[in-house]
Amino acid sequence: MRMMAFLLLLSVFQAAARNSYSQNVKVTINMDDVTVGEVLNTIEAQSDYYFIFNQKLVDVDRKVSVHAQNKKVSKILDELFAGTDIRHMVMDRQIILSPKELLAENVRKTQQKYVVSGTVSDEKGEPLPGVNIMEKGTTNGTISGTDGSYTLQVSSQDAVLVFSFVGYKTQEVPVAGKKVVNVSLQPEAIGLDEVVTIGYGTKKKIHSAGSISTVTSTEIVKTPVSNMKDAIVGRTSGIIAVTPSGSPGTGAQIQIRGMSTLQNNSVLVLVDGVQRPFSQLDPNEIESITILKDGASAAIYGVKGGNGVILVTTKRGKLGKPRFSFNSYTGIQQVTRYPDLLNSYQYAVTNNQAYENMGLDPNDPANAGKFFTADQLAKFKSGEINTQFKDLVFKNNPVKMHYNLNVNGGSDKIRYFFSGGYLAQDGLIPNSSFNRYNLRSNVDATINKYFTVSINLDGRLEDKDSPSWGEGNIFSHMVRAIPTERAYDKNGKPLDILSPQPLEEAKNGGVNNWKTSVLNAQMNAVLDLGFVKPLEGLKAKFMYSYDQNVVVNKKYKKPYKVYVPDQNGMATEEVKWKGGARQLTQSNLNSHRYTLDLSLDYDRTFGKHHISGLFVYEQRENFNTYLVASRQGFISDIIQELFAGDPETATNNGWASEGGYLSYIGRLSYVYANKYIFDVSAREDASVLFPPDTRWGFFPSFAVAWRLSEEHFIKDNLSFVNNLKLRASYGMLGTDAGAGNFAYLEQYKLTYGALIDNRITTGLVKYVEPNKDITWEKVASFDLGLEGLFWNGLLGFDMAYFKKNTSDILAPKIISTPQTFGANLPPVNYAEVELKGFEMSLTHTNTIGEVRYSLAGNFTYSKNKVLQIDDPEDQLPHLVRKGKPLDFYVGYKTDGLFQSDQEAQDYYPQFGNNLVGGGDIKYIDRNGDKVIDNKDLDVISLYSYMPRVMFGMDMKLSWRNFDFSALFQGAAGRKIMLSGPARVMFQIGGNNFYTYLLDCWSPDNKDAKYPRAWRGNNINNDKDSDFWLRDGSYLRLKNLEIGYNFKSLVPNVDNLRLYFAAYNVFTIDKIKYFDPEVASGSGRYDVNANAQHNYTTWGTYYPQLKSYNIGVNITF
Amino acid sequence: MKKIKYIVLLLSMMFMSYSCEKVLDKENLSGLAADNVWQDEAYVEAYISTLYHNLRGWEETYSGGYRIMDNIADEGRTCYASFTPNSILLPGLLTAEMEGQIHDMHYWWMYKEIRRCNEYFENMKNSELTGSNITRMNAEVQFLRAFHYFELVKRYGGVPLITKPQRLGDPDLYPKRNSVDECFDFIVKEFDEAAKKFEEAGVISTHNARASQGAALAFKARALLYYASPLFNPDNDIQRWKDAAAAAKAVMDLGVYSLDPDFSKILRRDNDEVIFKKEYKIHSNPDRWHRYDHGRSVAYLPLSQARSDAGYSYPVQEFVDAFRMANGLKITDPASGYDPKHPYVGREPRFYASVTYNGSVWRGETIWTYVGSGPNAISANPWTTNTGYFCRKNMKEDLPDDYFAWSSDDTPFPYMRYADVILMHAEAENEVNGPNADVIHDIQMIWDRAGITGSVPTGLSKDEMRQLIHDERYIELAFEEHRYWDLRRWKEAHTRLSGSKFHGMRITLDTLSVSPLVIDTVYTPVEVDVFVPNFPEYEYLMPIPHSEILANPNLVQNPGW
């Protein structure tokens, strides 16, 4: 059925097409017993003439026979119409057929076309290129050239020209018989005519009652990053983000206004109205990114919009001649910050000190293996043996580059935007890289006055490499490996040592490659129902999109070679292979998804009344399949394909899943005199994750706004006020993110069975205990805002207070259900979280002489609180979660370091440990029982690694051909817990660690910052406590750009700009050793924002990167 | 004309919604509906297979490879001594709130498995499946449920007896604890019923990882022995010992079990000694651990062969000293022929099968542990032996050559061996009738198989015989997770496992020499414990997880916690 409708649409497009053919004036026709019409068609087909005639006056059904060899068209026509009163007249490429008495009249009418030309300039008289010039009431138009000039053929000397350009007031100028029409456009009071993208449409910003911010294409392309999420951080209020990893291609974790549920805080992203990710789009493809922050704006997305919505709009073709644009940058990357690791001498000295602290006698021969000898120390001190694994592993200045070429243009019938991009990012360690190829084609066709069709095609390939050992392992091994071992001989051959060899693992241990190919195809068709008079303003819209994602993951792991060293530390012939067998694991994830929207859109103004409405029917389905296979036993590394492995070792597995959504969406909006704005919207959503009777959810929203600036008491008295709007909204949203997999059904799954008679049998277990009442999580969201623009842009502001209440949060009641129940618990709707906050943005734009500049600052504060959660009675105070934020730190409170063994012995026993001495952490006895144990645990900070406050400050300045911009971004109200090697020396039997810990307590260093040296996890000191808690606030210069435009030096080029851009330039913070955006001190590689802190023990994070780039923009 | 075209267009758009109801007709493509499961014998068999799979054998660890219980009693120590749970259990620092740190506590409170058994019975009530296979499966599930309840009672004392799957929102979601007596009665009754059903189904004994009539009877005997032991029988009700002796005798009378002649190969081949076990595969893929790979890790091997850490479990000196001489005399007996200068000469054969010591051979390599000898030398490095010994018992010597660090072998885990049944019988019989001929015959069977040439001494008092049986269990069942629990049920843990550090043997050579065999070797016992071991008396009953006490107000915590 769906296919059928598609074909119907296609046939309609074909009926409307008619175009020119060859340039031949002579034609050959041999036709018998055909109609005149067929002959005319044949002539049109063979020439590029076309006929204009009135069917009532010219009998085209008359049967004739024509035989003409290479004859002129006019001759053939003379013969064809011989004996009738029809004559023809050739005009350019048109041939008019008409009774001879009417011919002259027809020719006169056709000849009346009138040519107008002129120049468009701005308010200062500078030529203004790119201005759209239309003949009013037609689709006839053009665009002004680089010098502002234009030429347009209009229908008569009474025509009216409409000049429009973004940022300028649209002007209508009657031709009134003139041949030359010069126009000077006046700038629009900033932003008032701005159109914003909203759910399922667009709206004038002044008519919007929601809390919406927009990041424009010029800002997006300024940040040289490989992930679009990083490009919006700091540029607008309401975004809470951290970027915990510098792995190529990955980006920030983004939340809109903060966390408000237990399960899934992920933001809904739509690209051109379809739910799909945006982080890997080419920045040059993007026209704007709009963030819907308040509940009422997002409510139109019902079940998915609960955590906020990001709408991405891609660029489209504009009327006019083709404009090519080439953009490229190349840069080098460096680690923002990474703590130093001990050198061999420091390691050995500290080791000896640690063993002495542990009570071992260095002179006892039984302890011989533990202490480094004086000989060894001398070798370390001289640098003879000192392996600095960090220097080995980190590459110097890995390169990143990006190229994009795009073109846009169009006629009144067809407009196009084509773009191709390539990004290559080299990683910090060997075999770590990211390459991306983007291709986009956005075409809009005006089929006729009432019908337009757009096709968007977006294809891309993402190609990511990482070492098969895993990036996290490489960094963790780099920290672990011991500097007192010689890892390479003088010839650079890797040696067999006890420590892991992170460089060999990364370089020679095989590659894990992901190839993600994406094909998104989308068609929009709009039928203006205005052809029926009473339906004027009503449009029927059709949108169908089909997205396919294929992720092919190939992980080839192989052993790396090390040489057994001789006594002098030189490689011998003896070779060892480390890292286990060769193995290839290949998987394939196929995702298919379609979205269908059918909508009716109404928009009309009656005097002072502006009414708009929308109704959408939406259905979505998806289907995913996954297949994984592996083999071992490869005899060589040359062919890394499954067939080359040993079939005996072959394994495979796979799964499939499907989903469906159905929604009805409605919106009504009324604006009176651009002054009072009322919006109502509602959405009815169904999700298959819920049982049929609780499957449907209804999500209404209301918004009102009052533009005080339109009131006379302001207009008349405070003329500097361009815009002042007070707005309030309330919206109800939902989410099914925590619903699990068909948790309402009693279901079983196949799993592992026992090994019986050395044979693996199939097993079976039940999924969760079903919850037959499972339904939506509900989000009630309130927003109160004030926005304004004064003195034509000297001051702009937008501030909002928000409150969000998430109830019926889905989570299993694990804590209050006794384990004697025995089954896996299903998610139940019960928890409740409140989120409150405030956000503000300020803008200032001005021109002083030749200097134009703007300043934009934004600030967001948000705080969440758990209102209802699965807390049993009598819970220990620090574990109670009700009334606290979703994420907080639990640990011990401390009182510095013991300054002597005696002081430690006189104090309360700590954790039943009799080895506590001077230089160990002293804990506070919270409960007063004179014993330090886990009953003294307490909440030590209500902050988490996700900041409570985010701010950004964007500065732009231009002078003559120079331009400059800087983006500062920061966070506050944020804490980080040091863990793993960030607080433990010699972990796991002797791992290396960070040099700052060398400021450790000893009788000679009583002011030390850190506890005394110890081998391994000291049970007294290695505990989460305020001793290890750090303030994670920071301010960083995220982006800096300086450019110069050479356009005046090069002919035929509209724009030629060279620039220098730097990213993550410098940071001011209190952490000092690590990049402050790291999630915890040891660096959690991936972060699961959850109330339960769960660190990895080793330093496993991919450091954040800074980059310095030079780039070029050319438009011609 | 034109308008009609548009109307057709509009209508064609509307056709799209035609298929809308199908959009919500979606399934869990990897799920099986309950109706399909319980009417299909193959699925029921698979369900039971997972119940067997979830039993823990060697993998009772927190990172794969070593057993905690081997290393907190007087058998061995581990490289993870300073890590939880060892650092908490050994010095007696456990609290009820520490469930997150004691990685096993969530397993010890194993109602998940019990519920799976209960759901089996609930669902099979409505199933139309019948036949001897179903009888056998009923017996297996009943056996497994009793097995789990026994494991619970042995740790906590009386626990809530739940025999039906609860539903969320039911009032019985918060059960009270049943008494110790009720629990043992239930367990014994269940094993009895399971044994009958096995007999009906013709499953008397098995050589694979499945339960049988013999297994049910042997576990019944073990439950009764625990019930008769001082921990659960403070008034020493002799009837309980009688029941235990009779239950063990019933297994012996089945006539299907016998001792394997080679002590070192009991687990290495099919025999009539292993009554119930869990099977493993050799771990062969360093990149991916398989569920069936978590057998004995090569990290039990000497460092020169372990290919990484070597300290998962190394025997302590106290354990080594417990082995008799080959003539059956204890080393403390002046007549034994024990020479402290050559402590490893002339010991009973089980010593050589259980311990790798200085100068012994493993996989063709002579293992030297004396100070300065090389990688296997006694060391305070936590990643190798701190005692000078390595564990040998039940390790696979003929490992394939390409094993890698943290591999594991395919030795099955013995939940129940016939030797245990014989020792249970001897222990109970001695309590009832003193060291009579039956008792002596039992022990002599064990000694004969062990290769001890001497005869079990006659004329011992009941107490002396009790001590001899305890010592025999220490040696015979070492590293099979019995010792810790035996010390508890005898109420000997607080004396044996408290107060002083355990020892290793530091071996030094007098002079530089080419071979340590001809040079004078000096043996010095050294303390190996990091913490002073401590077994507080309240630990005889484990704490019920604190979260469970919070979640269920009807539960009463064990005293002292």
Side-chain angles (χ1 to χ4, degrees), chain A residues 1-2 5-6 8-9 12 15 364-366 370 448 450-451 525 527 529 531-532 540-542 557 579-581 583 585 594 596 598 617 619-623 630 632 651 656-662 664 686-688 695-696 741-742 746-767 769 815-826 872-876 911-912 914-915 934-935 988-989 1017 1019, chain B residues 2-3 5-10 12-34 37-38 43-50 52-54 82-83 87 93 95 97-99 101 105-106 109 111-113 115-116 119 123 160 162 166-168 173-175 207-210 279-281 284-288 290-292 371 378-383 404 506 530-532 545-548 550-552 555:
Chain A
M1 206 59 229
R2 210 173 295 130
F6 208 90
L8 265 170
L9 276 170
V12 175
D364 181 345
K370 289 166 211 152
N448 62 34
Y450 294 108
F451 190 51
L527 179 62
L529 301 180
F531 59 84
V532 184
K541 292 184 179 173
F542 162 91
K557 191 167 183 187
Q583 180 176 30
T585 307
Y594 82 82
L596 169 72
L598 298 175
Y617 163 83
Q619 71 181 49
R620 283 190 292 140
E621 284 178 275
N622 60 66
F623 183 74
S630 83
Q632 294 182 25
T651 69
S657 69
E658 57 180 8
Y661 288 89
L662 209 59
Y664 299 96
S687 162
V688 293
R695 177 169 281 181
W696 287 91
N741 211 350
F742 295 90
E746 176 164 345
Q747 293 207 318
Y748 292 78
K749 62 178 172 189
L750 292 170
T751 181
Y752 301 95
L755 188 66
I756 290 172
D757 284 326
N758 204 27
R759 202 171 47 80
I760 294 168
T761 59
T762 301
L764 186 78
V765 288
K766 200 164 128 176
Y767 275 98
E769 175 71 8
I815 295 177
S816 62
T817 310
Q819 292 171 44
T820 45
F821 178 67
N824 290 332
L825 294 167
E873 286 173 35
D874 302 326
Q875 180 63 287
L876 295 172
F911 314 109
N914 44 14
L915 296 171
N934 61 355
K935 293 192 181 74
I988 328 287
N1017 303 58
I1019 56 170
Chain B
K2 243 181 183 174
K3 284 183 186 175
K5 200 154 51 176
Y6 290 134
I7 287 159
V8 169
L9 197 59
L10 189 65
S12 68
M13 284 178 171
M14 293 306 162
F15 275 126
M16 299 293 181
S17 59
Y18 178 75
S19 60
C20 72
E21 269 314 312
K22 255 171 54 194
V23 172
L24 298 179
D25 189 13
K26 291 287 181 289
E27 280 176 32
N28 182 358
L29 298 180
S30 43
L32 260 171
V37 170
W38 299 106
Y43 282 137
V44 178
E45 187 82 74
Y47 187 85
I48 289 172
S49 184
T50 296
Y52 276 114
H53 174 65
N54 291 344
S82 61
F83 281 25
S87 67
L93 298 175
T95 69
E97 292 88 3
M98 278 185 189
E99 45 196 299
Q101 295 172 55
M105 203 175 278
H106 67 272
W109 195 250
Y111 279 90
K112 245 187 181 138
E113 292 305 309
R115 183 188 175 97
R116 290 192 175 128
E119 284 189 345
N123 285 300
I162 299 167
Q166 302 167 337
R167 298 289 159 211
L168 285 173
L173 214 55
Y174 306 95
H207 286 162
N208 59 24
R210 287 190 173 282
E279 297 176 30
Y280 294 88
K281 272 190 173 321
S284 55
N285 182 350
D287 295 324
R288 200 174 330 141
H290 212 278
R291 301 230 140 199
Y292 310 98
V371 174
I378 181 172
S379 162
N381 171 0
W383 309 106
F404 52 92
R506 199 169 109 215
V530 179
F531 310 102
V532 178
H546 182 67
S547 64
E548 193 70 351
L550 285 178
N552 180 359
L555 279 186

Side-chain angles (χ1 to χ4, degrees), chain A residues 150-163:
Chain A
Y150 72 94
T151 308
L152 182 65
Q153 197 179 50
V154 294
S155 58
S156 78
Q157 56 178 3
D158 304 324
V160 176
L161 297 182
V162 181
F163 296 81

Side-chain angles (χ1 to χ4, degrees), chain B residues 440-546:
Chain B
I440 292 186
H441 179 255
D442 286 341
I443 306 296
Q444 193 66 52
M445 275 200 285
I446 301 291
W447 278 26
D448 288 348
R449 191 274 295 272
I452 293 176
T453 52
S455 301
V456 176
T458 50
L460 298 180
S461 72
K462 187 173 173 175
D463 288 348
E464 285 167 334
M465 180 50 85
R466 182 187 300 127
Q467 189 56 49
L468 188 145
I469 293 167
H470 286 191
D471 290 348
E472 202 50 43
R473 286 186 71 88
Y474 188 14
I475 297 304
E476 173 69 32
L477 300 173
F479 293 105
E480 291 175 17
E481 197 181 302
H482 288 286
R483 180 65 176 170
Y484 180 74
W485 302 111
D486 278 346
L487 287 174
R488 293 167 64 102
R489 70 180 170 92
W490 295 327
K491 292 206 87 172
E492 288 176 5
H494 66 290
T495 50
R496 175 71 176 172
L497 303 182
S498 285
S500 56
K501 293 186 174 181
F502 281 78
H503 294 83
M505 186 61 85
R506 199 169 109 215
I507 306 170
T508 45
L509 304 187
D510 245 8
T511 56
L512 289 173
S513 67
V514 277
S515 157
L517 282 183
V518 292
I519 296 296
D520 220 12
T521 314
V522 180
Y523 295 87
T524 322
V526 287
E527 288 182 346
V528 292
D529 277 326
V530 179
F531 310 102
V532 178
N534 184 29
F535 188 97
E537 289 207 43
Y538 57 78
E539 235 182 78
Y540 275 117
L541 292 179
M542 285 281 176
I544 290 170
H546 182 67

Side-chain angles (χ1 to χ4, degrees), chain A residues 509-546:
Chain A
V511 178
N512 195 2
N513 173 271
W514 289 265
K515 280 191 177 59
T516 305
S517 52
V518 177
L519 182 64
N520 297 337
Q522 180 176 356
M523 183 172 101
N524 291 58
V526 180
L527 179 62
D528 189 337
L529 301 180
F531 59 84
V532 184
K533 237 337 175 196
L535 296 181
E536 202 179 312
L538 189 63
K539 286 175 180 154
K541 292 184 179 173
F542 162 91
M543 193 284 289
Y544 181 85
S545 80
Y546 176 78

Side-chain angles (χ1 to χ4, degrees), chain A residues 192-478:
Chain A
L192 291 197
D193 221 18
E194 202 183 320
V195 170
V196 290
T197 308
I198 56 169
Y200 299 93
T202 56
K203 204 171 200 186
K204 268 189 167 181
K205 185 151 192 196
I206 53 163
H207 284 176
S208 145
S211 204
I212 293 171
S213 32
T214 302
V215 184
T216 62
S217 56
T218 46
E219 290 169 316
I220 292 160
V221 296
K222 271 191 188 306
T223 315
V225 290
S226 57
N227 188 305
M228 286 310 302
K229 283 184 188 164
D230 288 332
I232 60 173
V233 174
R235 297 211 177 266
T236 168
S237 64
I239 295 236
I240 307 275
V242 289
T243 309
S245 161
S247 181
T250 61
Q253 302 170 351
I254 287 184
Q255 293 170 0
I256 292 178
R257 291 181 164 177
M259 281 201 288
S260 61
T261 180
L262 302 170
Q263 297 282 348
N264 187 331
N265 282 286
S266 60
V267 176
L268 174 70
V269 178
L270 296 103
V271 178
D272 291 330
V274 178
Q275 195 185 329
R276 37 171 96 124
F278 78 118
S279 53
Q280 299 303 346
L281 294 180
D282 189 298
N284 295 291
E285 291 174 3
I286 296 177
E287 179 69 32
S288 70
I289 297 176
T290 303
I291 298 140
L292 307 182
K293 297 181 288 190
D294 65 311
S297 305
I300 200 93
Y301 292 105
V303 62
K304 292 287 178 189
N307 298 314
V309 181
I310 294 180
L311 302 175
V312 178
T313 311
T314 59
K315 284 184 178 158
R316 311 209 70 83
K318 295 194 182 82
L319 206 60
K321 73 179 180 74
R323 277 171 304 281
F324 289 89
S325 173
F326 174 77
N327 300 287
S328 168
Y329 66 79
T330 302
I332 53 165
Q333 308 165 89
Q334 289 169 0
V335 177
T336 53
R337 207 186 275 167
Y338 201 85
D340 282 333
L341 293 159
L342 270 61
N343 64 31
S344 57
Y345 183 68
Q346 289 168 324
Y347 181 91
V349 169
T350 315
N351 171 78
N352 290 1
Q353 193 190 339
Y355 272 123
E356 281 196 57
N357 288 343
M358 293 171 87
L360 268 65
D361 178 2
N363 300 316
D364 181 345
N367 296 330
K370 289 166 211 152
F371 289 89
F372 288 97
T373 63
D375 268 7
Q376 287 175 304
L377 288 174
K379 274 189 185 169
F380 298 150
K381 201 170 186 181
S382 70
E384 191 186 329
I385 300 179
N386 179 22
T387 311
Q388 287 294 66
F389 286 96
K390 194 175 102 177
D391 298 345
L392 288 169
V393 171
F394 281 1
K395 285 205 265 184
N396 283 331
N397 302 326
V399 172
K400 177 160 71 172
M401 47 195 165
H402 181 236
Y403 303 92
N404 175 277
L405 178 64
N406 64 64
V407 56
N408 87 76
S411 65
D412 53 351
K413 296 287 187 210
I414 303 280
R415 288 165 306 283
Y416 53 87
F417 172 78
F418 303 124
S419 166
Y422 169 56
L423 171 92
Q425 185 181 8
D426 199 5
L428 192 60
I429 55 176
N431 283 322
S432 163
S433 66
F434 181 67
N435 286 280
R436 190 183 64 207
Y437 307 83
N438 294 74
L439 208 59
R440 170 175 292 276
S441 157
N442 287 356
V443 176
D444 303 290
T446 305
I447 308 293
N448 62 34
K449 196 175 167 189
Y450 294 108
F451 190 51
T452 56
V453 173
S454 310
I455 301 281
N456 298 355
L457 291 173
D458 172 18
R460 69 175 178 267
L461 175 69
E462 299 157 27
D463 187 350
K464 184 175 165 70
D465 272 353
S466 82
S468 79
W469 282 72
E471 289 164 345
N473 281 325
I474 302 297
F475 289 106
S476 122
H477 290 178
M478 180 186 85

Side-chain angles (χ1 to χ4, degrees), chain A residues 703-867:
Chain A
V704 291
W706 176 25
R707 288 190 65 220
L708 292 101
S709 50
E710 296 299 301
E711 297 288 356
H712 282 291
F713 59 83
I714 290 193
K715 261 190 170 167
D716 300 345
N717 303 320
L718 307 165
S719 58
F720 62 88
V721 176
N722 307 101
N723 181 32
L724 185 65
K725 183 164 76 180
L726 184 65
R727 49 171 211 254
S729 75
Y730 178 83
M732 201 60 177
L733 293 95
T735 171
D736 64 351
N741 211 350
F742 295 90
Y744 67 94
L745 294 175
E746 176 164 345
Q747 293 207 318
Y748 292 78
K749 62 178 172 189
L750 292 170
T751 181
Y752 301 95
L755 188 66
I756 290 172
D757 284 326
N758 204 27
R759 202 171 47 80
I760 294 168
T761 59
T762 301
L764 186 78
V765 288
K766 200 164 128 176
Y767 275 98
V768 297
E769 175 71 8
N771 170 9
K772 298 197 158 54
D773 305 321
I774 190 167
T775 186
W776 309 97
E777 253 178 63
K778 294 161 190 69
V779 184
S781 186
F782 172 74
D783 185 278
L784 184 65
L786 182 68
E787 64 187 65
L789 187 73
F790 297 167
W791 298 290
N792 286 325
L794 285 183
L795 176 66
F797 63 88
D798 188 340
M799 53 182 105
Y801 163 82
F802 54 87
K803 190 176 161 200
K804 212 166 138 183
N805 197 301
T806 312
S807 58
D808 278 349
I809 293 177
L810 277 167
K813 279 188 163 179
I814 289 167
I815 295 177
S816 62
T817 310
Q819 292 171 44
T820 45
F821 178 67
N824 290 332
L825 294 167
V828 187
N829 298 90
Y830 73 95
E832 201 174 335
V833 173
E834 178 188 78
L835 174 80
K836 277 187 205 169
F838 175 76
E839 63 183 37
M840 185 164 75
S841 59
L842 289 172
T843 54
H844 169 63
T845 328
N846 199 11
T847 307
I848 301 171
E850 283 186 82
V851 178
R852 290 187 192 197
Y853 71 94
S854 71
L855 295 173
N858 63 72
F859 169 92
T860 309
Y861 169 84
S862 92
K863 185 183 170 186
N864 62 58
K865 191 165 97 179
V866 174
L867 299 181

